[in-house]
Amino acid sequence: MKKTLLIIVLSTILVGCQSLEVNSPDKSLSVRFEQTQNGGIAYSVQRDGKDVITTSQLGFLTDAGALDKGFKLIGRSRHSESSSWETVWGEERVITDKHNALTLCLKHETGIQMNIEFRVFDDGFAFRYIFPDKSQMTTALPIDRNNKSQITLFDELTEYRFVQDAEAWSIPWRTEYYEGLWTKRSITNDQSQITNDTLCSPITIEFADGTYAFVHEAALTDYPAQNFYAGDGALRTYLTPWINDQSPRLCRSTEITNDQSPKAYISTPFSTPWRMVILTKTLPDLVASRIMLNLNEPCKIEDTSWIHPTKFMGIWWGMHIKTMTWEQGPHHGATTTNMERYMRFAKKHNIGAVLAEGWNLGWEDWKHFDFTTPYNDWDMPYLSHLADSLGVQIVGHNETGGNAADYEKDLDSIYRYHAANGIHLIKTGYVAPIIRTIDGLQWNKGQSGVRHYRKVIETAAQYHIAIDNHEPVMPTGLQRTYPNLMTQEGVRGQEWNAWSADGGSPCEHVTVLPYTRILAGPVDYTPGVFHFENPVIPTTRVHSTLMNQLGLFVCFYSPLQMACDLPEHYMEHADAFRFIEDVPCDWERSLLVDGKIGDYCVFARQGRGSDNWYIGGITDENSREVTIPLSMLPKDQTYQLTLYRDGAQADWQTNPYDYVIEEQNVTSSDTLHIRMASGGGFAASLHLRP
Ligand code: NOJ
């Protein structure tokens, strides 16, 4: 990993109560820390001299008292950073981290010390609360079993008072597994209309002046996931609670403000996750922001040579369209014969791995899954040998049914078994709205759930196993620190188009995700349906054309990218399948060429370590034409363009299969004009001509 680092400590001095500013490197953004007469703490944010966020409260309610006022500023320090680092995999090979930071040391009247670190980038800002170790506390706090000071947090008081009217895209915080349709709500500058419900993090905001914000958190570790509610004219934080007898089962914001259940038990020294707001003037800049990754710690895995992005297929879609079963029986999917068929198909078509669900004991009643004993029609030694000889990996599947406690207890033996059989990719699953952790029944995004997921990633790394986590906590950039956390669900994915009672996700859904869920991190959406009629569940279907499915491979980023349909369905359109064979899932550079939240998007990406470019577009129910200047290509080079686009009769409802494949030579001075049908899209590969 290449890293150049410039840290300049400018000052550490004692000061009295006052407001203090820190500017972005380009000076366009500034964050001001403010203190009130009674020692209350707050911040505000200005861009180009105008308020974006007005005075917004900071602090906590804790078992040691309310940390909302009564603070004295006892020190401050500044630093600036300008560095770059190389990703193990990602949308970009090299990421630049340029910011100015201000850390404030605050002594509370109870004797608790709490520091706040602000970082301001050109495209947003972040801050976190830091509780130093007990030597800095001039009060007796409870001591935990490791002889560290312990504080129980009942509420985090962080708020965001955005100045402008806006529209915000979000999902309610109780949306099971985050698998909801993101909805747009109008918000006025007092945020009063943002919601009746409490909302998940992240929230994507388009302000009245056409600028954007993405409000989320980074580096969520040993802390509950944040949520938001509107109250007292601000967007306020609601931390996912521990479930105990007093915990609320309700989600309306007014009820949440009265929720006194514990949210986090912290042992000092402790840093909270970063509270992060990306602020940009354009949508391409919002999508290009890498603040969240920069806020996460550098990679902790020394040797990452075993971590490889790959496309994969799977014995999977058949179960969702109900032509196969997870459990044994006449239609059992994960048999040796079937797996061999998939693996040989994958080999032939440049797909690096095959997932098998339903290979292990336990699917009959979901009571106890056994992750080291296959069904008797699954020959593990044979398939493991075949994987090795074909060079096609097996993606193991560990569905826990929400029993995280049992899974955690056996992690070592489970991963040892998989590694011994050459399996270095595992899809995990936690199907249960409330999971059972070592702390009992808990929200998966509460502190206990967050600890579990972290344990899984750290243990998997020891066995050289990479994870595709389903029913996860919302991603926060942890893949920088643990690049074996490759992709996650946390989305209303393609499977809903197989069986959902509402008939499948509306066309608009996929045109919201690149600006919302996917800004939080890679998504295992599972694109690539090529056959739209479902004989078993005819009332549900994919709301897209076949070309829209191809476009998803470029628009939706995942270093483990699933081509989800059946081999026989791909062979019905072998010419279109060539794009899936060709497209990579690891990138040198990525950019949003054009788009509008909830309407359409066009992405262009350069393959990692390659001269080739790929462009993909998708639209909602409205057909539209997009104009794409090829100025991203290097000058004076000729590229062979293969364009896969909707045909003149294409329409997701009436004719999803109408498509045209065209080839031509292009250069950086050319411009493409491409029409996408209703629910349509396109994909293009641009190969450098020798
Ligand atoms: C839900 C997951 O999202 C899906 O991909 C998986 O097939 C089922 N659980 C069974 O584990």
Side-chain angles (χ1 to χ4, degrees):
M1 183 171 301
K2 202 178 81 192
K3 184 162 164 75
T4 51
L5 181 70
L6 171 70
I7 296 180
I8 312 163
V9 176
L10 294 174
S11 64
T12 304
I13 51 169
L14 293 177
V15 291
C17 292
Q18 58 180 300
S19 80
L20 286 165
E21 265 184 27
V22 53
N23 295 321
S24 59
D26 70 359
K27 303 210 166 21
S28 62
L29 268 188
S30 92
V31 174
R32 191 179 296 151
F33 171 75
E34 299 169 9
Q35 262 202 298
T36 55
Q37 282 305 318
N38 62 4
I41 48 175
Y43 74 100
S44 63
V45 181
Q46 297 72 37
R47 180 166 43 208
D48 302 328
K50 281 203 216 125
D51 274 348
V52 179
I53 295 177
T54 52
T55 303
S56 301
Q57 194 186 356
L58 299 165
F60 292 94
L61 300 182
T62 77
D63 61 343
L67 305 181
D68 56 347
K69 51 183 163 318
F71 280 106
K72 243 198 198 130
L73 183 61
I74 58 164
R76 63 178 166 163
S77 63
R78 291 178 183 270
H79 76 253
S80 298
E81 171 137 353
S82 179
S83 62
S84 59
W85 54 280
E86 197 165 308
T87 57
V88 174
W89 46 260
E91 294 183 88
E92 230 91 48
R93 176 193 288 282
V94 177
I95 291 184
T96 302
D97 180 358
K98 231 175 143 191
H99 67 257
N100 292 326
L102 169 64
T103 303
L104 304 152
C105 302
L106 298 158
K107 184 63 109 183
H108 190 251
E109 60 196 13
T110 55
I112 289 179
Q113 185 167 326
M114 183 178 84
N115 305 338
I116 303 178
E117 181 182 356
F118 290 95
R119 289 190 186 173
V120 188
F121 303 77
D122 293 343
D123 52 356
F125 71 94
F127 58 88
R128 61 176 169 176
Y129 302 91
I130 302 166
F131 293 88
D133 71 19
K134 66 175 191 281
S135 65
Q136 311 293 310
M137 309 282 183
T138 48
T139 178
L141 291 167
I143 297 295
D144 72 7
R145 62 173 182 272
N146 299 316
N147 200 27
K148 294 181 167 182
S149 291
Q150 198 179 54
I151 305 175
T152 303
L153 305 182
F154 291 108
D155 218 346
E156 182 183 318
L157 303 175
T158 307
E159 56 179 38
Y160 309 82
R161 291 180 185 268
F162 291 106
V163 172
Q164 285 191 61
D165 291 354
E167 292 183 323
W169 280 261
S170 58
I171 47 176
W173 86 285
R174 283 283 301 271
T175 308
E176 275 178 16
Y177 323 117
Y178 303 102
E179 295 184 15
L181 295 172
W182 292 68
T183 51
K184 180 167 74 172
R185 301 157 199 259
S186 293
I187 59 173
T188 52
N189 66 1
D190 66 358
Q191 342 277 317
S192 60
Q193 289 175 38
I194 189 166
T195 176
N196 285 326
D197 285 332
T198 300
L199 303 174
C200 283
S201 182
I203 298 182
T204 299
I205 299 176
E206 181 172 355
F207 293 109
D209 68 355
T211 62
Y212 297 88
F214 181 69
V215 190
H216 193 32
E217 59 187 328
L220 173 60
T221 298
D222 198 8
Y223 199 75
Q226 71 176 1
N227 308 281
F228 303 107
Y229 68 98
D232 186 25
L235 188 62
R236 310 180 87 184
T237 303
Y238 176 64
L239 298 179
T240 307
W242 279 79
I243 294 184
N244 59 23
D245 290 348
Q246 287 82 49
S247 289
R249 295 289 189 274
L250 305 162
C251 61
R252 309 284 282 199
S253 52
T254 45
E255 288 145 346
I256 267 171
T257 48
N258 297 323
D259 169 18
Q260 288 307 308
S261 54
K263 309 301 183 312
Y265 299 100
I266 62 167
S267 294
T268 70
F270 184 87
S271 301
T272 65
W274 292 92
R275 276 60 192 101
M276 172 192 83
V277 182
I278 301 174
L279 285 167
T280 63
K281 292 185 178 162
T282 69
L283 207 43
D285 285 346
L286 190 81
V287 169
S289 176
R290 303 291 174 236
I291 293 182
M292 191 181 66
L293 288 173
N294 279 327
L295 290 167
N296 275 271
E297 286 178 46
C299 183
K300 287 198 172 164
I301 302 176
E302 229 163 82
D303 170 17
T304 57
S305 60
W306 53 274
I307 303 174
H308 303 290
T310 183
K311 290 171 286 190
F312 67 105
M313 293 182 65
I315 298 177
W316 180 79
W317 186 241
M319 278 85 96
H320 286 273
I321 58 173
K322 300 211 186 312
T323 56
M324 295 178 191
T325 61
W326 280 279
E327 66 280 6
Q328 277 192 313
H331 303 293
H332 187 210
T335 63
T336 307
T337 322
N338 213 12
M339 186 63 172
E340 176 160 358
R341 180 170 72 90
Y342 269 75
M343 286 166 73
R344 291 196 184 281
F345 181 89
K347 169 76 184 167
K348 193 163 162 203
H349 295 281
N350 193 32
I351 309 277
V354 177
L355 163 76
E357 295 196 3
W359 67 277
N360 60 320
L361 301 188
W363 288 90
E364 285 69 22
D365 56 10
W366 283 61
K367 288 213 172 99
H368 176 73
F369 287 104
D370 179 336
F371 303 110
T372 55
T373 314
Y375 280 125
N376 58 13
D377 52 358
W378 177 271
D379 186 340
M380 185 63 102
Y382 175 74
L383 289 168
S384 148
H385 177 75
L386 184 68
D388 205 31
S389 62
L390 290 176
V392 171
Q393 298 186 71
I394 296 173
V395 184
H397 184 231
N398 294 175
E399 171 58 66
T400 67
N403 193 341
D406 275 7
Y407 188 53
E408 191 168 318
K409 181 165 61 61
D410 295 337
L411 275 183
D412 282 290
S413 56
I414 295 166
Y415 292 159
R416 200 174 303 120
Y417 170 82
H418 283 77
N421 283 293
I423 299 176
H424 291 282
L425 292 169
I426 294 182
K427 172 175 168 179
T428 49
Y430 298 85
V431 175
I434 293 177
I435 61 173
R436 181 176 296 283
T437 71
I438 55 170
D439 302 298
L441 288 176
Q442 297 292 340
W443 298 113
N444 71 341
K445 57 180 181 162
Q447 186 177 22
S448 182
V450 168
R451 285 176 178 162
H452 168 75
Y453 291 125
R454 177 66 174 240
K455 180 94 194 267
V456 166
I457 293 303
E458 289 180 7
T459 312
Q462 289 164 21
Y463 293 90
H464 287 192
I465 285 171
I467 297 290
D468 166 4
N469 185 23
H470 278 227
E471 297 81 34
V473 63
M474 184 60 70
T476 60
L478 228 50
Q479 70 269 24
R480 177 180 180 189
T481 315
Y482 286 99
N484 66 318
L485 171 56
M486 293 193 80
T487 193
Q488 309 208 64
E489 195 185 31
V491 71
R492 181 174 157 127
Q494 185 88 274
E495 64 195 38
W496 284 73
N497 297 326
W499 40 250
S500 75
D502 57 12
S505 305
C507 300
E508 184 194 69
H509 181 53
V510 288
T511 66
V512 175
L513 295 176
Y515 309 109
T516 53
R517 160 64 184 83
I518 302 177
L519 292 188
V523 68
D524 191 20
Y525 178 83
T526 73
V529 171
F530 267 35
H531 187 99
F532 298 94
E533 295 75 33
N534 180 346
V536 187
I537 321 172
T539 47
T540 300
R541 62 169 300 174
V542 183
H543 291 207
S544 86
T545 67
L546 200 142
M547 292 297 105
N548 176 294
Q549 291 293 311
L550 288 192
L552 294 175
F553 281 83
V554 184
C555 295
F556 284 14
Y557 171 63
S558 180
L560 295 178
Q561 186 71 282
M562 187 178 204
C564 75
D565 212 336
L566 314 177
E568 52 271 33
H569 288 167
Y570 285 134
M571 286 305 92
E572 288 167 6
H573 304 283
D575 54 353
F577 188 58
R578 278 212 330 264
F579 181 75
I580 297 179
E581 294 174 0
D582 180 28
V583 68
C585 54
D586 193 20
W587 307 102
E588 196 72 28
R589 275 181 65 200
S590 295
L591 53 123
L592 175 71
V593 177
D594 193 6
K596 186 155 172 39
I597 306 174
D599 287 351
Y600 71 105
C601 65
V602 176
F603 278 85
R605 304 187 195 264
Q606 182 188 0
R608 187 164 290 207
S610 147
D611 294 313
N612 298 340
W613 280 79
Y614 297 82
I615 305 179
I618 51 175
T619 181
D620 60 5
E621 68 283 2
N622 298 308
S623 113
R624 70 185 80 234
E625 185 174 304
V626 283
T627 300
I628 307 161
L630 296 180
S631 49
M632 74 287 280
L633 299 179
K635 299 225 168 338
D636 305 323
Q637 306 270 20
T638 303
Y639 276 77
Q640 179 174 24
L641 165 81
T642 308
L643 177 63
Y644 305 75
R645 64 170 176 84
D646 288 322
Q649 307 307 319
D651 179 291
W652 74 267
Q653 259 174 308
T654 56
N655 195 353
Y657 301 110
D658 182 29
Y659 60 84
V660 176
I661 302 176
E662 293 165 332
E663 304 218 333
Q664 72 184 88
N665 284 340
V666 293
T667 68
S668 63
S669 51
D670 286 315
T671 297
L672 304 178
H673 301 276
I674 302 172
R675 184 190 152 274
M676 298 187 276
S678 164
F682 71 92
S685 60
L686 294 110
H687 290 229
L688 183 64
R689 290 211 76 117

